[in-house]
Structures are given as C-alpha cells and as structure tokens.
Amino acid sequence: MSNFVVRRLLSVIPVALIVLVTVFLLLHIGPGDPAALIAGENATPAQIEEIRARLFLDRPLIEQLFLYLSQVARLDLGESVYSGFPVLTLIMQRVEPTAMLAVCTLTLSVLIAVPSGVWAAWRAGSAVDTALIIASVLGFSIPVFIVGYILVDLFALRVGWFPVQGYKPLSSGLWSCLRSLMLPSISLSLLFSALVARITRATMIEVLSEDYIRTARAKGAKNGRVLVVHALKNIGVPVVTVVGTSFAALLGGVVITESVFNIPGMGRLTVDAIQTRDYPVVQGVLIVFSFALISVNLLVDLSYALFDPRVRQ
C-alpha cells in the first residue's frame, strides 16, 4: 500500500513541471511583444519597458523560466499589472465562492446520479430506464448558461425562492451561502449528473450479469442485499473515475456559470483578467486550476485502493 501511494505521489512531479512550463510559455506563444500587449495601445515606450522589466521579459528565455519556477516554488505568483495587488492575494479572495460552487455541484451530481443510475440498471428496459436515458441526453445537450437563465426566470424572478445573482460568503451563515449557490449548482450539476448516471447505469448492468451475482441470488439473498453488498461496491472504480475526470469540465463550466450568476469567484477573475490583458493573473489562475485538477486526479488514483485490493500490490 505504501509503495502504491509513493508511486502515485512521485508521478505528480513531472506532470506539475509540465504544467508550469506550459503556463509560462503561454505568455510567449502569441505574436507581438507581450509587454506592449499588456500595456495597451496608448502606452509610452517607458511604460512598456517598465512592464518588461517587472515581468523579466528583458532577460533570456531560460533565465525567465528559472525565475518563474523559483517564484512559484515560493508561492509568489507575481503582481497584477492592472491592480498592482499580488496575484496570490487576488486568487485567495476568490477561492471560497468557486470551491463552494464546485463542492455543491459535485455533491448534487453524485446524490442524484448514482441512485438514479443504479435504479435504472436494476430496472433495465423499464420506463424508469428509458426516462433516465432521455434525461441524460437532455442534460448533455442543453448548454449550462441556457439552463441557468431558465432557472433564474422560474425560481428567482417568478417564484422568488432564490436570489437572482450574487454570492453570500460562509461568514454570513451556511444556509445563506447554500441558498445563493443553489441555482448555479443545479445548472452545473445537470450536465455532470447525466454523465455520472450513464456511467453508473452501464457499469451496474455489467456487474449484475456477473456470475457472483447469480450465485448470490441462487443462495436466496434478497434483492436489497444483492444490490448493496454484492453489486454496489464493485462499481466504485468507474464511478469515482468519471467523477474525477468530470472535474476538468466543471472548472470550465465554472467560468460561464459565475459570469451568468455574477459570482465573484475564480471564473470571474479569469474573465476579468483576460479582458484587461492581465497575464500574471491569467497565469496564476491557470496554475491554481491545473494543480486542483492534478490533486483531484491523485485522490481518484489513491481511492482505487479502497475499492480494488489488487491495486495496492
């Protein structure tokens, strides 16, 4: 078990280095002078040179990369060109809304999708199964922002159950925070619920056809015991895998959802930084998103050992 954990932890190091180098090169891939693009059309040569010196763009590329990696190792992501504040400070101010939105979305998705997929597989070919397939197709087909606008019109403007836009921090109370995130979480969770439900259904149907399931039934085991004890624990690996891989799509959906619902999170920070050509902020956000995704994938890999003892070897 310890060897398995060590191997997974060591495999993260080259991936993290590749991410850092890729994010660094994004500033140099585009045409033109990055400092001139950041400064804007009306900038003076002195202002352009000041930005070039601040971002180490006047140094050789290898030296720039070394300085950038050393800064990141010290948790120094630079300063915002637009506001002058440290990038890490700006990110920390926006982490809570995005983290809460991601947690609420994943929780809703799992609570909805896993029971629905299991029930549909148990009743394969029935009206319940057909309804799940149709709902999954709709969940994949309708864009997140359209679902968001529909939910705002129905449950915020007409009924008044939830706020139209904005975010209430945890300091204002857990219920106020969850209430402000309910509509955006539902908008995002429809897509992930559809994906997780389809994978759960397909995996459960395959598991229910295994010999040990037929053996359990032949021994007189009740349906509930067959489903929970013998079948459910064997769908853990594929379900956890799809939940983890969906996290990447969730980060992309956060950018759109936070813009629709005016949530001051990492997605809004990304959009604002792109619009103002604040490249240090864009790089910092990309690093945080990438390392969050790497961490989730690492947790998914480590969780395999809980569901499949063969992985520990």
Side-chain angles (χ1 to χ4, degrees):
M1 181 64 178
S2 59
N3 292 333
F4 169 75
V5 174
V6 171
R7 289 198 305 269
R8 289 297 183 268
L9 291 175
L10 291 177
S11 66
V12 170
I13 297 176
V15 176
L17 289 175
I18 292 173
V19 167
L20 290 176
V21 173
T22 303
V23 171
F24 166 78
L25 292 176
L26 288 178
L27 187 62
H28 303 270
I29 291 176
D33 184 3
L37 293 174
I38 294 172
E41 297 179 357
N42 300 322
T44 63
Q47 291 173 330
I48 295 176
E49 288 299 325
E50 191 273 334
I51 292 176
R52 184 178 288 111
R54 188 195 308 179
L55 299 180
F56 306 116
L57 296 175
D58 55 346
R59 312 281 185 89
L61 185 62
I62 297 298
E63 185 178 353
Q64 292 181 42
L65 176 59
F66 177 77
L67 291 172
Y68 184 75
L69 294 178
S70 62
Q71 280 186 327
V72 174
R74 299 193 306 268
L75 298 180
D76 180 8
L77 301 181
E79 294 183 353
S80 168
V81 177
Y82 182 75
S83 65
F85 289 103
V87 173
L88 186 60
T89 300
L90 296 176
I91 291 175
M92 293 304 296
Q93 293 174 348
R94 306 292 189 99
V95 164
E96 181 186 310
T98 300
M100 288 299 299
L101 178 58
V103 170
C104 291
T105 300
L106 289 176
T107 302
L108 277 176
S109 301
V110 172
L111 291 178
I112 294 172
V114 174
S116 300
V118 170
W119 183 248
W122 187 259
R123 302 290 301 276
S126 65
V128 174
D129 188 23
T130 304
L132 176 69
I133 295 175
I134 295 175
S136 300
V137 172
L138 291 176
F140 282 125
S141 304
I142 303 177
V144 173
F145 68 91
I146 292 180
V147 175
Y149 285 128
I150 293 174
L151 293 178
V152 167
D153 181 65
L154 292 177
F155 297 103
L157 298 178
R158 298 190 183 187
V159 182
W161 289 353
F162 305 102
V164 177
Q165 292 180 329
Y167 169 75
K168 294 291 185 181
L170 280 171
S171 58
S172 64
L174 180 59
W175 170 242
S176 298
C177 177
L178 294 178
R179 186 169 177 268
S180 66
L181 291 174
M182 191 60 65
L183 294 184
S185 296
I186 294 175
S187 302
L188 274 174
S189 65
L190 290 180
L191 171 63
F192 302 110
S193 296
L195 178 61
V196 176
R198 290 293 295 270
I199 297 298
T200 302
R201 173 187 176 274
T203 307
M204 180 59 75
I205 288 177
E206 182 179 353
V207 168
L208 291 175
S209 64
E210 295 290 340
D211 292 338
Y212 61 85
I213 297 295
R214 288 193 290 268
T215 302
R217 286 173 171 170
K219 290 182 177 180
K222 296 182 179 180
N223 289 336
R225 180 175 178 82
V226 171
L227 189 64
V228 175
V229 177
H230 298 282
L232 193 58
K233 67 178 182 180
N234 290 297
I235 68 171
V237 170
V239 171
V240 169
T241 301
V242 73
V243 170
T245 53
S246 299
F247 190 77
L250 173 61
L251 294 180
V254 160
V255 176
I256 300 174
T257 306
E258 288 184 354
S259 299
V260 171
F261 289 94
N262 194 26
I263 297 175
M266 299 275 287
R268 284 291 305 278
L269 179 62
T270 305
V271 174
D272 294 341
I274 292 174
Q275 291 176 343
T276 58
R277 297 175 180 176
D278 200 341
Y279 287 99
V281 175
V282 174
Q283 287 179 317
V285 171
L286 288 177
I287 289 175
V288 172
F289 277 156
S290 300
F291 274 75
L293 183 58
I294 291 173
S295 300
V296 170
N297 287 331
L298 177 62
L299 292 176
V300 169
D301 286 343
L302 294 178
S303 69
Y304 291 163
L306 300 176
F307 297 104
D308 190 349
R310 294 172 297 179
V311 177
R312 306 171 193 170
Q313 300 175 358

